[in-house]
Each structure stands twice: as structure tokens, then as C-alpha cells.
Amino acid sequence: MNVARAASTVLGWSYFAVWSASFWPQFLLNWRRKSVVGMSFDFQCINFLGYVSYSAYTICLRFDGPTRRAYHEAFGRAADLVALPDVCFAVHGCALTVAQIVQCFFYERGDQGLSRPCVGAVAALAGASAAYGAVVAFRGRDTGPASWLDFLYWLSVLKLGITTIKYVPQVLLNRRRRSTTGWSIANVLMDLLGGTLSVAQVVLDGSTVGWDGVLRDPVKFGLGLLSFVYDGIFIVQHYVLYREAPAAPDVRFHGAADALLERPRRPGPDGVIHV
């Protein structure tokens, strides 16, 4: 049992490290290009709501005493399945998502923007969650459909649902542009590895702690499985479908053109100014 617990800890911190690091290639790519052209704004908007929900879910189930006791009473030892790496990953992912959203306000973005369906859907989900939380806060920690534990489960299901659809705008943007320029493939590959490690930890914990806990914590297992699906699509787009496609115009072209125009021009031996 001690060996299994140690292996689970190693897998947990490994997936946290890889999955957390997977946020950085896109951030650094945007920073290097000084452009967010090719990165879907709808994806980032949806992703932000998902990570806010997941952060609240993991923080409460890990650190809030009454919530942990209620979870333990309901599902036994399964309460320990929300580990510290889960909390760190959620908070780090939320912070990096905010950082990439901030980049959208300052870097070249072309004609990209948020779509009305995305804004409407995110506003509706956020409003419903806020209303549910207000009802729970008013009722206190009662049992039943308006309990704090049930509200946290709503947040976990919301995160899982968001992950199910959040990559769709990016897939469609790549298809419309016939290019993956501006979307980091390193992010995709690291996300795939992190998902593999996360699923491996869940399976290991389920085999030692109990499968009931895995079934009661579907978001972590679901996130890992969904990473396989979407990362596979992005890999096919990048290496197969659009591999030979010409790169979509981005800020690097304009930056090179500006540098050329601003370069000092001196007359040559014939007295003619050459570019």
C-alpha cells in the first residue's frame, strides 16, 4: 500500500508539472510573436470559466474542513482523491489563462474577437453558477440539492462540460485558416503527456483506494480522457492536414516590413538610393 501511495504521489506531481508547463508554450509564443493571431479568443474565454470553477472545486475539497467531512461521510476514503497537485494545477491554469487573455488586449490580433454565442453561453453559465452559490450561501451547509457539496459537484461537472467543448473554437479556427500558425504544438504534446499521467494516477488510486471514489470524482478522469481526443485532432491538423499549407500572415511579416521601411537608406556608388 505504501508503494502504491508513493507511486500515486509521483504520478500526481508529474502530471501537475507537465500539465502546468503546457500552459507556457502558448504564452511564450504569443510574447515572442507579439501577436495572438491564430489563438482562439472563444477558447480562452471558455477556458477561464472552466478553471475558475475547477479551482474553487479543488480548493474547497482539499482545504475546507466541513466540506471534506461531508465528502468523507458520503464517499468514505475517496475524499483523499483530491490531492495538493490537483489544487496547484487548477490555480496555476487559471492564472496562466488570465495572462493569455491579457495578451489579447495588447498584442496584434487581426480581425479576431469573441463571438456572440460564446459571450452569451459563458454569461449564462456564470450567472447560473453565481445564483446557485447564492442559494447555498443563504441556506448554509444543509444537506440536499442546495448543499455546499452539491454546489461543488456542479462546478466540477461544469468544468468537465467546458473541457468537452472548449477546444472546438480552436479546431474550427485552424480549419478556417488552413493553418496552425499561432497555436503552439508544444502545448498540445505536453497536454497529451499530462493527460496520460493524470489518467494513470486515477487508475492507480482506484485500484488501491476504491473505484467508487473515481466514479464520484469524474472531472479529473474525464479531463485526462478528453485530452487524448482533442490533442489527437490538433496533432493531425498540425502534422498531416496543414503541414504543407502556407503559414497564415502574422505579425512577424509586418514586423519585418516595418524594419525594412525604417532601415536607413544610403546612396550607392552610382548615387542611387537602394532599398
Side-chain angles (χ1 to χ4, degrees):
M1 184 64 68
N2 291 334
V3 174
R5 186 177 295 111
S8 176
T9 300
V10 171
L11 287 173
W13 284 109
S14 296
Y15 103 76
F16 158 71
V18 174
W19 244 350
S20 296
S22 71
F23 285 89
W24 286 94
Q26 185 65 54
F27 175 83
L28 294 175
L29 178 64
N30 297 341
W31 174 77
R32 188 174 68 250
R33 298 170 68 230
K34 297 297 185 290
S35 170
V36 291
V37 175
M39 182 186 72
S40 171
F41 289 13
D42 286 356
F43 160 72
Q44 293 295 351
C45 182
I46 298 171
N47 205 29
F48 172 70
L49 177 60
Y51 274 104
V52 169
S53 301
Y54 194 40
S55 295
Y57 168 76
T58 55
I59 289 173
C60 289
L61 283 181
R62 180 64 184 178
F63 297 113
D64 186 65
T67 301
R68 286 180 60 83
R69 285 193 294 271
Y71 193 38
H72 181 78
E73 292 173 359
F75 310 120
R77 291 181 301 167
D80 295 331
L81 288 178
V82 178
L84 183 59
D86 301 329
V87 180
C88 295
F89 164 72
V91 174
H92 178 268
C94 187
L96 263 293
T97 301
V98 171
Q100 293 178 48
I101 291 175
V102 171
Q103 287 180 323
C104 295
F105 289 96
F106 294 98
Y107 293 160
E108 172 66 31
R109 59 181 179 178
D111 61 351
Q112 291 183 195
L114 290 173
S115 67
R116 290 183 178 179
C118 172
V119 173
V122 169
L125 290 173
S129 299
Y132 193 175
V135 171
V136 171
F138 179 76
R139 286 172 53 90
R141 297 183 181 276
D142 298 335
T143 58
S147 67
W148 186 246
L149 189 59
D150 286 334
F151 173 66
L152 293 179
Y153 267 106
W154 156 253
L155 294 181
S156 73
V157 172
L158 177 61
K159 167 59 177 171
L160 186 58
I162 285 175
T163 303
T164 304
I165 63 171
K166 71 176 184 179
Y167 286 114
V168 173
Q170 186 65 55
V171 171
L172 296 178
L173 179 62
N174 293 346
R175 182 177 181 273
R176 178 171 60 83
R177 299 174 70 239
R178 309 292 297 177
S179 172
T180 57
T181 300
W183 177 243
S184 174
I185 191 62
N187 167 33
V188 172
L189 297 177
M190 295 174 72
D191 182 70
L192 180 61
L193 176 59
T196 301
L197 294 172
S198 177
V199 169
Q201 185 195 35
V202 171
V203 172
L204 177 62
D205 288 344
S207 63
T208 56
V209 177
W211 291 104
D212 288 343
V214 176
L215 296 177
R216 292 294 183 177
D217 184 18
V219 62
K220 184 177 178 180
F221 190 63
L223 290 177
L225 294 181
L226 284 171
S227 68
F228 298 158
V229 176
Y230 282 108
D231 291 337
I233 294 174
F234 289 130
I235 288 172
V236 171
Q237 285 186 325
H238 184 80
Y239 291 109
V240 180
L241 296 179
Y242 310 135
R243 183 182 59 177
E244 302 299 334
D250 60 32
V251 74
R252 287 174 296 181
F253 171 80
H254 301 291
D258 292 341
L260 183 62
L261 292 174
E262 295 172 2
R263 188 177 62 188
R265 298 171 174 79
R266 298 183 176 86
D270 54 1
V272 178
I273 297 178
H274 297 278
V275 177

mmCIF file of all heavy atoms in Angstrom, residues 182-219:
data_model
loop_
_atom_site.group_PDB
_atom_site.id
_atom_site.type_symbol
_atom_site.label_atom_id
_atom_site.label_comp_id
_atom_site.label_asym_id
_atom_site.label_seq_id
_atom_site.Cartn_x
_atom_site.Cartn_y
_atom_site.Cartn_z
ATOM 1 N N GLY A 182 0.383 30.098 -34.901
ATOM 2 C CA GLY A 182 -0.151 30.857 -33.780
ATOM 3 C C GLY A 182 -0.710 29.980 -32.675
ATOM 4 O O GLY A 182 -1.005 30.470 -31.589
ATOM 5 N N TRP A 183 -0.848 28.678 -32.945
ATOM 6 C CA TRP A 183 -1.323 27.720 -31.942
ATOM 7 C C TRP A 183 -0.170 26.772 -31.643
ATOM 8 O O TRP A 183 0.299 26.057 -32.518
ATOM 9 C CB TRP A 183 -2.536 26.965 -32.452
ATOM 10 C CG TRP A 183 -3.093 25.903 -31.550
ATOM 11 C CD1 TRP A 183 -3.172 24.575 -31.799
ATOM 12 C CD2 TRP A 183 -3.670 26.088 -30.249
ATOM 13 N NE1 TRP A 183 -3.754 23.910 -30.760
ATOM 14 C CE2 TRP A 183 -4.072 24.829 -29.782
ATOM 15 C CE3 TRP A 183 -3.877 27.204 -29.436
ATOM 16 C CZ2 TRP A 183 -4.670 24.636 -28.544
ATOM 17 C CZ3 TRP A 183 -4.474 27.018 -28.191
ATOM 18 C CH2 TRP A 183 -4.866 25.757 -27.757
ATOM 19 N N SER A 184 0.313 26.753 -30.413
ATOM 20 C CA SER A 184 1.532 26.041 -30.058
ATOM 21 C C SER A 184 1.334 24.528 -30.043
ATOM 22 O O SER A 184 0.519 24.008 -29.283
ATOM 23 C CB SER A 184 2.026 26.511 -28.687
ATOM 24 O OG SER A 184 3.117 25.741 -28.252
ATOM 25 N N ILE A 185 2.104 23.834 -30.864
ATOM 26 C CA ILE A 185 2.040 22.370 -30.879
ATOM 27 C C ILE A 185 2.729 21.809 -29.636
ATOM 28 O O ILE A 185 2.385 20.714 -29.177
ATOM 29 C CB ILE A 185 2.671 21.805 -32.165
ATOM 30 C CG1 ILE A 185 2.364 20.291 -32.297
ATOM 31 C CG2 ILE A 185 4.165 22.057 -32.181
ATOM 32 C CD1 ILE A 185 0.891 19.970 -32.409
ATOM 33 N N ALA A 186 3.708 22.545 -29.072
ATOM 34 C CA ALA A 186 4.355 22.090 -27.839
ATOM 35 C C ALA A 186 3.333 22.017 -26.714
ATOM 36 O O ALA A 186 3.358 21.096 -25.884
ATOM 37 C CB ALA A 186 5.504 23.027 -27.470
ATOM 38 N N ASN A 187 2.425 22.972 -26.667
ATOM 39 C CA ASN A 187 1.338 22.956 -25.697
ATOM 40 C C ASN A 187 0.510 21.682 -25.836
ATOM 41 O O ASN A 187 0.169 21.023 -24.847
ATOM 42 C CB ASN A 187 0.467 24.197 -25.911
ATOM 43 C CG ASN A 187 -0.855 24.126 -25.177
ATOM 44 O OD1 ASN A 187 -0.947 23.559 -24.105
ATOM 45 N ND2 ASN A 187 -1.883 24.703 -25.771
ATOM 46 N N VAL A 188 0.225 21.309 -27.066
ATOM 47 C CA VAL A 188 -0.600 20.131 -27.331
ATOM 48 C C VAL A 188 0.105 18.853 -26.879
ATOM 49 O O VAL A 188 -0.487 17.989 -26.215
ATOM 50 C CB VAL A 188 -0.934 20.055 -28.833
ATOM 51 C CG1 VAL A 188 -1.622 18.741 -29.169
ATOM 52 C CG2 VAL A 188 -1.807 21.238 -29.242
ATOM 53 N N LEU A 189 1.372 18.711 -27.225
ATOM 54 C CA LEU A 189 2.114 17.493 -26.888
ATOM 55 C C LEU A 189 2.287 17.345 -25.376
ATOM 56 O O LEU A 189 2.166 16.237 -24.834
ATOM 57 C CB LEU A 189 3.478 17.515 -27.579
ATOM 58 C CG LEU A 189 3.443 17.526 -29.114
ATOM 59 C CD1 LEU A 189 4.848 17.631 -29.678
ATOM 60 C CD2 LEU A 189 2.738 16.281 -29.657
ATOM 61 N N MET A 190 2.546 18.454 -24.699
ATOM 62 C CA MET A 190 2.694 18.384 -23.250
ATOM 63 C C MET A 190 1.352 18.111 -22.575
ATOM 64 O O MET A 190 1.285 17.409 -21.560
ATOM 65 C CB MET A 190 3.295 19.688 -22.733
ATOM 66 C CG MET A 190 4.718 19.938 -23.206
ATOM 67 S SD MET A 190 5.364 21.560 -22.728
ATOM 68 C CE MET A 190 5.586 21.327 -20.972
ATOM 69 N N ASP A 191 0.277 18.646 -23.131
ATOM 70 C CA ASP A 191 -1.051 18.379 -22.594
ATOM 71 C C ASP A 191 -1.394 16.895 -22.715
ATOM 72 O O ASP A 191 -1.987 16.305 -21.810
ATOM 73 C CB ASP A 191 -2.082 19.225 -23.335
ATOM 74 C CG ASP A 191 -3.486 19.033 -22.780
ATOM 75 O OD1 ASP A 191 -3.748 19.483 -21.648
ATOM 76 O OD2 ASP A 191 -4.322 18.428 -23.474
ATOM 77 N N LEU A 192 -1.004 16.293 -23.819
ATOM 78 C CA LEU A 192 -1.249 14.869 -24.023
ATOM 79 C C LEU A 192 -0.490 14.032 -22.994
ATOM 80 O O LEU A 192 -1.042 13.080 -22.425
ATOM 81 C CB LEU A 192 -0.836 14.474 -25.445
ATOM 82 C CG LEU A 192 -1.030 13.000 -25.828
ATOM 83 C CD1 LEU A 192 -2.500 12.611 -25.738
ATOM 84 C CD2 LEU A 192 -0.500 12.752 -27.230
ATOM 85 N N LEU A 193 0.764 14.372 -22.745
ATOM 86 C CA LEU A 193 1.548 13.651 -21.742
ATOM 87 C C LEU A 193 0.955 13.842 -20.350
ATOM 88 O O LEU A 193 0.847 12.887 -19.569
ATOM 89 C CB LEU A 193 2.999 14.132 -21.774
ATOM 90 C CG LEU A 193 3.938 13.534 -20.716
ATOM 91 C CD1 LEU A 193 3.984 12.010 -20.840
ATOM 92 C CD2 LEU A 193 5.333 14.127 -20.841
ATOM 93 N N GLY A 194 0.557 15.067 -20.032
ATOM 94 C CA GLY A 194 -0.053 15.310 -18.732
ATOM 95 C C GLY A 194 -1.340 14.537 -18.543
ATOM 96 O O GLY A 194 -1.607 14.000 -17.460
ATOM 97 N N GLY A 195 -2.155 14.456 -19.586
ATOM 98 C CA GLY A 195 -3.384 13.685 -19.508
ATOM 99 C C GLY A 195 -3.124 12.213 -19.267
ATOM 100 O O GLY A 195 -3.848 11.549 -18.516
ATOM 101 N N THR A 196 -2.085 11.696 -19.902
ATOM 102 C CA THR A 196 -1.728 10.289 -19.720
ATOM 103 C C THR A 196 -1.334 10.019 -18.269
ATOM 104 O O THR A 196 -1.763 9.033 -17.666
ATOM 105 C CB THR A 196 -0.571 9.916 -20.653
ATOM 106 O OG1 THR A 196 -0.957 10.156 -22.006
ATOM 107 C CG2 THR A 196 -0.206 8.448 -20.500
ATOM 108 N N LEU A 197 -0.520 10.904 -17.697
ATOM 109 C CA LEU A 197 -0.092 10.732 -16.304
ATOM 110 C C LEU A 197 -1.263 10.873 -15.339
ATOM 111 O O LEU A 197 -1.345 10.153 -14.335
ATOM 112 C CB LEU A 197 0.992 11.762 -15.979
ATOM 113 C CG LEU A 197 2.316 11.606 -16.730
ATOM 114 C CD1 LEU A 197 3.223 12.805 -16.450
ATOM 115 C CD2 LEU A 197 3.010 10.312 -16.338
ATOM 116 N N SER A 198 -2.182 11.798 -15.633
ATOM 117 C CA SER A 198 -3.335 12.002 -14.761
ATOM 118 C C SER A 198 -4.242 10.769 -14.745
ATOM 119 O O SER A 198 -4.689 10.324 -13.681
ATOM 120 C CB SER A 198 -4.123 13.225 -15.223
ATOM 121 O OG SER A 198 -5.282 13.414 -14.433
ATOM 122 N N VAL A 199 -4.509 10.229 -15.921
ATOM 123 C CA VAL A 199 -5.343 9.030 -16.003
ATOM 124 C C VAL A 199 -4.667 7.861 -15.296
ATOM 125 O O VAL A 199 -5.314 7.075 -14.595
ATOM 126 C CB VAL A 199 -5.635 8.681 -17.472
ATOM 127 C CG1 VAL A 199 -6.278 7.296 -17.585
ATOM 128 C CG2 VAL A 199 -6.558 9.730 -18.087
ATOM 129 N N ALA A 200 -3.351 7.756 -15.445
ATOM 130 C CA ALA A 200 -2.622 6.675 -14.778
ATOM 131 C C ALA A 200 -2.754 6.785 -13.264
ATOM 132 O O ALA A 200 -2.924 5.779 -12.562
ATOM 133 C CB ALA A 200 -1.151 6.713 -15.180
ATOM 134 N N GLN A 201 -2.708 8.019 -12.726
ATOM 135 C CA GLN A 201 -2.854 8.191 -11.284
ATOM 136 C C GLN A 201 -4.260 7.819 -10.821
ATOM 137 O O GLN A 201 -4.430 7.169 -9.789
ATOM 138 C CB GLN A 201 -2.545 9.630 -10.882
ATOM 139 C CG GLN A 201 -2.557 9.823 -9.366
ATOM 140 C CD GLN A 201 -2.620 11.282 -8.954
ATOM 141 O OE1 GLN A 201 -3.260 12.094 -9.626
ATOM 142 N NE2 GLN A 201 -1.991 11.616 -7.847
ATOM 143 N N VAL A 202 -5.265 8.228 -11.594
ATOM 144 C CA VAL A 202 -6.644 7.910 -11.218
ATOM 145 C C VAL A 202 -6.865 6.396 -11.199
ATOM 146 O O VAL A 202 -7.489 5.848 -10.280
ATOM 147 C CB VAL A 202 -7.633 8.581 -12.191
ATOM 148 C CG1 VAL A 202 -9.050 8.081 -11.932
ATOM 149 C CG2 VAL A 202 -7.590 10.091 -12.030
ATOM 150 N N VAL A 203 -6.336 5.712 -12.206
ATOM 151 C CA VAL A 203 -6.491 4.251 -12.270
ATOM 152 C C VAL A 203 -5.774 3.595 -11.091
ATOM 153 O O VAL A 203 -6.295 2.666 -10.464
ATOM 154 C CB VAL A 203 -5.947 3.718 -13.608
ATOM 155 C CG1 VAL A 203 -5.909 2.198 -13.607
ATOM 156 C CG2 VAL A 203 -6.808 4.219 -14.765
ATOM 157 N N LEU A 204 -4.577 4.091 -10.771
ATOM 158 C CA LEU A 204 -3.836 3.532 -9.636
ATOM 159 C C LEU A 204 -4.580 3.766 -8.335
ATOM 160 O O LEU A 204 -4.717 2.848 -7.506
ATOM 161 C CB LEU A 204 -2.440 4.151 -9.578
ATOM 162 C CG LEU A 204 -1.558 3.716 -8.394
ATOM 163 C CD1 LEU A 204 -1.307 2.214 -8.445
ATOM 164 C CD2 LEU A 204 -0.235 4.484 -8.400
ATOM 165 N N ASP A 205 -5.089 4.985 -8.132
ATOM 166 C CA ASP A 205 -5.835 5.278 -6.915
ATOM 167 C C ASP A 205 -7.109 4.450 -6.834
ATOM 168 O O ASP A 205 -7.494 3.979 -5.756
ATOM 169 C CB ASP A 205 -6.187 6.769 -6.859
ATOM 170 C CG ASP A 205 -4.973 7.647 -6.572
ATOM 171 O OD1 ASP A 205 -3.952 7.100 -6.119
ATOM 172 O OD2 ASP A 205 -5.052 8.861 -6.823
ATOM 173 N N GLY A 206 -7.762 4.267 -7.970
ATOM 174 C CA GLY A 206 -8.985 3.478 -7.977
ATOM 175 C C GLY A 206 -8.737 2.028 -7.595
ATOM 176 O O GLY A 206 -9.555 1.399 -6.912
ATOM 177 N N SER A 207 -7.588 1.504 -8.012
ATOM 178 C CA SER A 207 -7.279 0.103 -7.722
ATOM 179 C C SER A 207 -6.859 -0.100 -6.269
ATOM 180 O O SER A 207 -6.915 -1.227 -5.752
ATOM 181 C CB SER A 207 -6.174 -0.395 -8.652
ATOM 182 O OG SER A 207 -4.964 0.326 -8.431
ATOM 183 N N THR A 208 -6.420 0.960 -5.588
ATOM 184 C CA THR A 208 -5.968 0.829 -4.202
ATOM 185 C C THR A 208 -6.953 1.420 -3.201
ATOM 186 O O THR A 208 -7.185 0.838 -2.143
ATOM 187 C CB THR A 208 -4.596 1.521 -4.028
ATOM 188 O OG1 THR A 208 -4.695 2.888 -4.450
ATOM 189 C CG2 THR A 208 -3.532 0.818 -4.862
ATOM 190 N N VAL A 209 -7.533 2.580 -3.501
ATOM 191 C CA VAL A 209 -8.459 3.240 -2.584
ATOM 192 C C VAL A 209 -9.890 2.753 -2.789
ATOM 193 O O VAL A 209 -10.643 2.570 -1.839
ATOM 194 C CB VAL A 209 -8.398 4.770 -2.756
ATOM 195 C CG1 VAL A 209 -9.404 5.457 -1.854
ATOM 196 C CG2 VAL A 209 -6.988 5.273 -2.446
ATOM 197 N N GLY A 210 -10.259 2.557 -4.045
ATOM 198 C CA GLY A 210 -11.625 2.129 -4.350
ATOM 199 C C GLY A 210 -12.164 2.850 -5.566
ATOM 200 O O GLY A 210 -11.945 4.050 -5.736
ATOM 201 N N TRP A 211 -12.869 2.114 -6.424
ATOM 202 C CA TRP A 211 -13.376 2.700 -7.668
ATOM 203 C C TRP A 211 -14.555 3.622 -7.440
ATOM 204 O O TRP A 211 -14.880 4.453 -8.297
ATOM 205 C CB TRP A 211 -13.754 1.583 -8.645
ATOM 206 C CG TRP A 211 -12.547 0.851 -9.144
ATOM 207 C CD1 TRP A 211 -12.107 -0.384 -8.772
ATOM 208 C CD2 TRP A 211 -11.591 1.332 -10.101
ATOM 209 N NE1 TRP A 211 -10.945 -0.706 -9.421
ATOM 210 C CE2 TRP A 211 -10.608 0.311 -10.252
ATOM 211 C CE3 TRP A 211 -11.458 2.516 -10.835
ATOM 212 C CZ2 TRP A 211 -9.516 0.458 -11.105
ATOM 213 C CZ3 TRP A 211 -10.366 2.649 -11.696
ATOM 214 C CH2 TRP A 211 -9.422 1.640 -11.831
ATOM 215 N N ASP A 212 -15.207 3.503 -6.277
ATOM 216 C CA ASP A 212 -16.322 4.406 -6.000
ATOM 217 C C ASP A 212 -15.849 5.854 -5.981
ATOM 218 O O ASP A 212 -16.544 6.762 -6.454
ATOM 219 C CB ASP A 212 -16.970 4.065 -4.652
ATOM 220 C CG ASP A 212 -17.767 2.763 -4.720
ATOM 221 O OD1 ASP A 212 -18.061 2.336 -5.850
ATOM 222 O OD2 ASP A 212 -18.067 2.193 -3.656
ATOM 223 N N GLY A 213 -14.660 6.057 -5.421
ATOM 224 C CA GLY A 213 -14.126 7.406 -5.383
ATOM 225 C C GLY A 213 -13.854 7.960 -6.766
ATOM 226 O O GLY A 213 -14.064 9.149 -7.028
ATOM 227 N N VAL A 214 -13.373 7.119 -7.669
ATOM 228 C CA VAL A 214 -13.117 7.560 -9.043
ATOM 229 C C VAL A 214 -14.417 7.970 -9.721
ATOM 230 O O VAL A 214 -14.487 8.987 -10.411
ATOM 231 C CB VAL A 214 -12.419 6.443 -9.839
ATOM 232 C CG1 VAL A 214 -12.247 6.850 -11.300
ATOM 233 C CG2 VAL A 214 -11.059 6.120 -9.227
ATOM 234 N N LEU A 215 -15.456 7.163 -9.509
ATOM 235 C CA LEU A 215 -16.743 7.470 -10.117
ATOM 236 C C LEU A 215 -17.362 8.726 -9.517
ATOM 237 O O LEU A 215 -18.125 9.429 -10.190
ATOM 238 C CB LEU A 215 -17.697 6.276 -9.933
ATOM 239 C CG LEU A 215 -17.259 4.980 -10.634
ATOM 240 C CD1 LEU A 215 -18.238 3.852 -10.326
ATOM 241 C CD2 LEU A 215 -17.149 5.182 -12.142
ATOM 242 N N ARG A 216 -17.026 9.019 -8.253
ATOM 243 C CA ARG A 216 -17.562 10.214 -7.607
ATOM 244 C C ARG A 216 -16.721 11.462 -7.916
ATOM 245 O O ARG A 216 -17.082 12.555 -7.536
ATOM 246 C CB ARG A 216 -17.621 10.007 -6.095
ATOM 247 C CG ARG A 216 -18.647 8.963 -5.652
ATOM 248 C CD ARG A 216 -20.053 9.431 -5.963
ATOM 249 N NE ARG A 216 -21.038 8.471 -5.475
ATOM 250 C CZ ARG A 216 -22.355 8.637 -5.559
ATOM 251 N NH1 ARG A 216 -22.828 9.733 -6.124
ATOM 252 N NH2 ARG A 216 -23.182 7.726 -5.107
ATOM 253 N N ASP A 217 -15.575 11.276 -8.562
ATOM 254 C CA ASP A 217 -14.720 12.409 -8.935
ATOM 255 C C ASP A 217 -14.441 12.306 -10.440
ATOM 256 O O ASP A 217 -13.309 12.067 -10.866
ATOM 257 C CB ASP A 217 -13.413 12.370 -8.141
ATOM 258 C CG ASP A 217 -12.547 13.591 -8.426
ATOM 259 O OD1 ASP A 217 -13.088 14.587 -8.934
ATOM 260 O OD2 ASP A 217 -11.336 13.528 -8.149
ATOM 261 N N PRO A 218 -15.506 12.457 -11.270
ATOM 262 C CA PRO A 218 -15.356 12.197 -12.700
ATOM 263 C C PRO A 218 -14.539 13.239 -13.445
ATOM 264 O O PRO A 218 -14.029 12.971 -14.524
ATOM 265 C CB PRO A 218 -16.806 12.192 -13.201
ATOM 266 C CG PRO A 218 -17.504 13.135 -12.266
ATOM 267 C CD PRO A 218 -16.865 12.917 -10.929
ATOM 268 N N VAL A 219 -14.407 14.443 -12.864
ATOM 269 C CA VAL A 219 -13.803 15.528 -13.622
ATOM 270 C C VAL A 219 -12.341 15.246 -13.936
ATOM 271 O O VAL A 219 -11.882 15.453 -15.063
ATOM 272 C CB VAL A 219 -13.972 16.863 -12.868
ATOM 273 C CG1 VAL A 219 -13.283 16.850 -11.521
ATOM 274 C CG2 VAL A 219 -13.436 18.008 -13.711
#
